[in-house]
Every structure is written in structure tokens, then in C-alpha cells.
Amino acid sequence: MQDRILVLCRNRSLAGLISRTLRYRQIYSLPIPFETPASEVLARAPRGVIVASDAMGADALDGFDFSLLTSQTPILALGGAVGVLCRHFGGAAGPAACARGSVTLGLASDPLFQDVASGEHVLHGLCELTLPDGLSALATANERPIGFKHAALPLYALQYPIERNDPDSAQLLFNFAASVCGCSASWDEDSIIDLAVRRVRDAAPEGTVLCAVSGGVDSAVCAKVANLAVGDRLKCVFVDTGLFRYNEPESVTASFAESLNLAVSYVDARAAFLTALSGLSSPEEKERVASQVMTQVLVSQLTHDHSIRTIVMGTNFNDTLFGISPGASLDGQIHAPAVRLCEPVNDLFKDEVRRLATALALPASIAARQPFPASGLALRIFGQVTEDKLMLLRAADACFLEEIRAGGHDKRLWQFYATLVNSPDRPGSYAVCLRALQASQDSALAARLPFDVLERAAQRIRAEVRGVTRVVYDLTPSAHYGELE
């Protein structure tokens, strides 16, 4: 069984960050619900557990099963959990100490802190701890305790922030997993591929395996894994929703045939999607309806091909962590008892799927493809979706794409695209909003593109796209970067 560290944290972004940081160091880690009973946590046979809370009050551990503390499973408590645990063992946690943030961090001689830097740090919102008998100081800020170790239990508690791209916090997590818990660093691309292939083989001992491909990296990796698992029993289908970018359906089917040597059947569902989306303006409703129609189209394939025994879906762990479950929706619609659902990458984060794509030698056009919503261009049209609006947006998006690539800026951007809104200039006209984002510490910020690139894109769109009277550039940061990556 794969060594694992379980993460209990209400903040899904923080839980995902902790797990991704450990996985990057080849330690398998999995976020689970914060309120999971100790019996269920231990049934997963973890090597260790990380309990993190970004809340700093007395309710930071509300819902936590304290019996886990006496299970002899190593536990690392972070953030607001530290003060609550200190009080739980008879100590006290005072108001925030060192409010200015700049402190001298002192670290005890412990395997937990191997290669972690002490000295000057900027740490905010620290509680000063008064430690009772049985707890010894593990870390100090300006010589005041901010962390402790239990004398009889394998419990470590530390007020130290886990931040993206911070080598010290990454080393701290790795030290806990490897040195304290004894985890082996075996979560690499080869073991992940072997696991995914076994999953498909176990789910599909016979019959045809259906895999829907969209051109995205998730479905492409699943198709490649399924091909390794079942060979010519795999049937790939591309469902044309009518919501793709310019020439995307043709390029997707061609790239699968040329780069992956996989034939892809084409399913034309454009009319069904456009009819279902008619009259909808809410982004949430568009996502929900698009998902429902896709489920119906895939289920209909079962009536056309009675040899299908398994449907492979490209659900990744980001989808599951943030409450998106296309696989669960499809599973509820499959009424044929002999048909199974398989999600080979459902415990992989998006960045892991991308690394897997590279390991499987998928072309860069797939491995590095930008995030694209399940409802496609419908989500990038503000207001109701019509065929005319889709044609306008495709053309505008293509102009922007060509100018970005011509300037060589596409390699440094996380995402870039166009959206369509009603123009204030005159009734029936439209404005195109251009958007380009670069990844930063914990979000995606508007890219500072050269003005001449934006100017050329704007001139081309106004000249070539009928009905567009205005072009603007969006400087709003993305609120969804952590969820997607």
C-alpha cells in the first residue's frame, strides 16, 4: 500500500496546497473532510496526519475528533489549531504576539526542522503559548513559545504558515512526512501511471471502453492510460458541443490521430447544447446544464453500442476537492448494471496530470493546454448564448490568440482569452473584453502585455469582427487559480 499523509483542513485551498506540496516531493498526501471521525481516519492507515486551521479563535478545531490525538499516529498541527491544542492539554494561548510580523524565529533541535532556516522571519497573527507540563517548546518567536511537542504522544504543533513556493514550509512538511512519519518518497510518475493503468484494467476486464475526449489534458491522459490498459478495446469519442474555440474540434481529432495514434469518433451535439442553453444567463446555470447535456450524450452512446462495458472520465482531484463531480453525475444516469464508471486520475491534482502528460509523451499542445471551462465559450459570453454570439466570440478570441503567439508571449501566460458583453455604444452591438493572466504566489494576476500587442488585437477585432464596437483589457486578478492548478 502507498504510504500516505492525510490532511484535515476546512480551507480547501490550504488543504490542496499542503497535499500538492508533499506530492511534489513524491510523498502521497490526501485531503479529507475536517470532521472525519478518528476511526475512519485510522482505517485509511495513514503514516501521519496534518491538522491545519486558518482560523485563530477558540473554535479553530470545532468538529475535530480529539481521540485521534491518542492514536499514536504522528500528527502535525498548524495555524490556529496550535492554540486550541495547547489549551486542551492544560496550557494557555494568549492574544497575538509580535503583531508587527517581523520576529526572530528559534527552532528546537528536532528532525522536523532539518534544513529549515531559523533567524529573521515575517510571521503574522502568532499566539503566545503558556505550556503546561508534558509539552516542550518546539519553536519560539522572539523567545516566546509558538509551537510545542508532546512528551508522550507523537504530536507536533507549530504556528508556521504554509505558502506556495516557500522552500522552508515545503521542507517542514517533507521532514514531517519522511523523518517523523517514515514515508517513502515513491509517488513518482512511473508509480502513478502503473496505478492508473491497473485501475482501468480492474474496471474493464471485458467489453468496449468508452472515453470522451475534449482536447484537454485530463481526458487525453485518461485516453492514453486506457489505451495502455486495454489496447484496441478503447473507443474514443469527441462530443462537439458547439462551444469550442475556432477550429478546435478539427485540431483535437487530428492531434489524437497523429500524435497519439488514437482514432476518435465525432459526435455532433451542437444543436442539443444550444437548445438547452437557450435563455440562460447565469454562469452557474450554464455550467449545470452543459454538464447535464454532456451526461445525456454519453449515456446515449450506450444505446448505440451495446458492447460498451466501461466509461472512462477525466475527473481530477481539483474537481472533487472543489465540489465538481461530473463522474458522479454520469454514474447516477447509468442504468445498465453491466456498465462501470472509471476515473483513472481522480486523485491527481491538475499539475500532476500535466506532469503525467509529459511522462506519457503527449504533445505540448495537449499537455500545456490552457484551462477551459466545461461549458466552453458559453461561460465567456455574458448573458444569453446564441449562435451569432458564439461566432463573434470565436473570431475575436482567434485574433487575440494570434497576436499573443506572434509576439511570443504565450509561453509565459497561464491563461489568455476573450469574453463578449453587450456594448454600451448602441443596441445590438458588442464589446470584447481581453484577459491575460500570469501565475503569482497564490493567485493569477493580469499580465502586463506590451501595449502594441493589445493595440493590434483591438484594431483587428474591431475591423474583422462584425458588431464589435469596443475592446477593453481586464485587469482583475483571477480568484480561481488555486482551484484549477
Side-chain angles (χ1 to χ4, degrees), residues 210 212 237 239 294-302 311 313 330:
L210 178 69
V237 297
V239 179
M294 178 60 75
T295 297
Q296 293 165 6
V297 172
L298 292 179
V299 170
S300 72
Q301 293 296 304
L302 302 178
I311 298 179
M313 293 285 290
L330 178 60

Side-chain angles (χ1 to χ4, degrees), residues 2 16 18-31 186-193 195 217-218 221 316-318 345-360 367 484-485:
Q2 183 77 44
I18 292 171
S19 288
R20 288 199 308 272
T21 301
L22 281 171
R23 291 189 188 195
Y24 187 77
R25 301 289 292 269
Q26 299 184 349
I27 301 289
Y28 180 65
S29 176
L30 184 69
S186 59
W187 186 248
D188 57 18
E189 281 78 1
D190 289 340
S191 64
I192 297 172
I193 292 172
L195 176 61
V217 65
D218 300 315
V221 165
N316 64 49
F317 195 70
N318 291 68
V345 299
N346 69 343
D347 60 354
L348 301 184
F349 288 98
K350 190 75 171 187
D351 56 343
E352 291 179 297
V353 179
R354 292 192 189 281
R355 293 204 303 271
L356 209 59
T358 301
L360 290 167
L484 294 168
E485 292 297 318

Side-chain angles (χ1 to χ4, degrees), residues 62-75:
D62 281 2
F64 174 71
D65 188 342
F66 280 82
S67 67
L68 187 62
L69 300 176
T70 58
S71 67
Q72 295 302 316
T73 300
I75 295 175

Side-chain angles (χ1 to χ4, degrees), residues 138-190:
L138 191 62
T140 60
N142 295 345
E143 301 184 350
R144 303 174 185 178
I146 61 167
F148 62 83
K149 180 178 180 180
H150 197 283
L153 301 173
L155 171 63
Y156 299 76
L158 183 66
Q159 297 177 75
Y160 193 93
I162 304 302
E163 297 176 341
R164 187 188 297 270
N165 301 324
D166 175 21
D168 281 338
S169 60
Q171 186 65 41
L172 176 72
L173 294 174
F174 178 77
N175 289 343
F176 173 71
S179 300
V180 176
C181 302
C183 288
S184 60
S186 59
W187 186 248
D188 57 18
E189 281 78 1
D190 289 340

